[in-house]
């Protein structure tokens, strides 16, 4: 039985070549995935994702693998950089596809809402009392007054009281119908603007994604399934000293986080979005990459990442 699963058919060739190289190094070193996790400090689950093409290994994991297998980190890092660019291109294509799907679904839902609104307005219109109702009542009062001219004073008084009461009743009924029609029209408009069950289901996260929006704040992007292929893009980037600083953004999760590569022990990376902020640190010697926990955002432009290097230099994404 083959040790490795077949790579996904839609995997970019550059990423496939890089993943194949990682598998060859692991095989040549006679390492199991469990042993690899133990010797590199990256979890077994993470290495299974890296070696099966489901997630691009971070630069720190590549550096650790090179050390464990006695491989030149320079050549392996060069291949990683090519694969990382291919991965980013694939993420951008996926984002455009998902955006087009959402636009199509929104247009379809808005079309349904427009029909519901027209029906609600038509129904509300049939309940509106014509403005001439009160005028007709006044005409009736005049007619009855004319017919009662020859009657006695007592008869005229009773007639006037009767007509006045009838007019008051008509006014009250007309007012009730007018208010009812307006309230029902407003209710129909609210219903039209509320998301339908179909729209709600369309916004459900894909399998493997465990949080959305505020539920992601303070949580690890990889553990929550927000950093998988096609779910994340680099929204902003900056170079500070020898380190590369990035804002990583997942529209599916509605969250962003900071990442620093080429880092050294003692470096700190921070992500902020409004009043929310999270921090990540490079704590171990030899680590060259660090991530912050996530913060909830409604768009990639809301988040900013900053880094403070152990050497004292600072910088932020723009």
């Amino acid at each position: 039985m083959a040790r490795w699963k077949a790579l996904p058919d839609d995997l970019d060739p550059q990423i496939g070549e890089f993943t194949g190289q990682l598998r060859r190094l692991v095989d040549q070193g006679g390492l199991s995935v469990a042993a690899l996790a133990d010797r590199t400090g990256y979890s077994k689950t993470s290495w299974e994702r890296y070696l099966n093409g489901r997630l691009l290994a971070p630069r720190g994991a590549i550096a650790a693998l090179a050390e464990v297998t006695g491989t030149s980190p320079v050549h392996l890092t060069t291949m990683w950089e090519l694969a990382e660019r291919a991965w980013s291109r694939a993420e951008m294509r996926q984002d455009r596809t998902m955006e087009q799907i959402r636009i199509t679904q929104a247009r379809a839902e808005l079309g349904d809402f427009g029909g519901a609104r027209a029906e609600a307005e038509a129904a509300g219109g049939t309940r509106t009392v014509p403005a001439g109702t009160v005028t007709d009542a006044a005409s009736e009062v005049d007619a009855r007054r004319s017919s009662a001219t020859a009657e006695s004073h007592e008869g005229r008084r009773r007639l006037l009281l009767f007509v006045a009461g009838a007019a008051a009743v008509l006014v009250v009924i007309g007012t009730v119908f007018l208010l009812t029609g307006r309230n029902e029209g407003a209710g129909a408009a609210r219903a039209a603007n509320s998301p339908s069950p179909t729209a709600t289901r369309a916004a459900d996260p894909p399998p493997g994604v465990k949080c959305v929006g505020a539920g992601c704040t303070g949580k690890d992007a990889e553990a929550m399934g927000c950093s998988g292929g096609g779910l994340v893009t680099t929204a902003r980037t900056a170079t500070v000293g020898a380190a590369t600083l990035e804002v990583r953004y997942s529209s599916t999760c509605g969250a962003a986080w900071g990442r620093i590569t080429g880092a050294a022990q003692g470096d700190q990376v921070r992500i902020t979005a409004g009043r929310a902020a999270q921090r990540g640190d490079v704590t171990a010697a030899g680590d060259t990459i660090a991530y912050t926990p996530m913060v909830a955002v409604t768009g990639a432009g809301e988040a900013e990442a900053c880094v403070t290097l152990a050497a004292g230099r600072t910088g932020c994404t723009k």
Side-chain angles (χ1 to χ4, degrees), residues 90-210:
E91 290 173 344
M92 292 177 65
R93 288 194 297 270
Q94 178 69 15
D95 281 351
R96 286 195 293 268
T97 300
M98 293 298 294
E99 182 179 2
Q100 189 59 47
I101 291 173
R102 293 191 186 99
I103 290 172
T104 300
Q105 291 173 337
R107 285 173 176 168
E109 293 298 331
L110 287 173
D112 292 343
F113 294 158
R117 184 181 294 108
E119 292 177 2
E121 290 176 352
T126 61
R127 294 179 177 87
T128 302
V129 176
T133 299
V134 177
T135 303
D136 292 343
S139 298
E140 183 181 352
V141 170
D142 292 338
R144 296 198 181 197
R145 281 177 179 174
S146 298
S147 65
T149 302
E151 297 179 2
S152 65
H153 177 74
E154 183 64 23
R156 285 198 304 271
R157 189 177 69 84
R158 287 198 300 267
L159 179 60
L160 288 173
L161 289 174
F162 171 78
V163 173
V169 171
L170 288 173
V171 170
V172 172
I173 293 174
T175 302
V176 170
F177 278 150
L178 284 171
L179 293 177
T180 303
R182 289 176 182 173
N183 290 336
E184 291 181 353
R190 287 193 297 270
N193 291 323
S194 300
S196 68
T198 302
T200 302
R201 287 193 297 272
D204 288 343
V209 175
K210 302 176 183 178

Side-chain angles (χ1 to χ4, degrees), residues 35-88:
L36 184 62
D38 183 62
R39 297 182 62 179
T40 62
Y42 289 80
S43 69
K44 179 180 176 182
T45 300
S46 295
W47 276 113
E48 287 174 345
R49 292 175 178 173
Y50 304 155
L51 295 169
N52 286 304
R54 294 167 52 198
L55 186 66
L56 184 66
R59 179 176 288 189
I62 298 310
L65 176 63
E67 182 178 355
V68 168
T69 58
T71 306
S72 169
V74 176
H75 300 310
L76 195 58
T77 300
T78 299
M79 293 188 66
W80 177 85
E81 290 174 346
L82 295 173
E84 203 276 340
R85 284 196 287 270
W87 192 276
S88 295

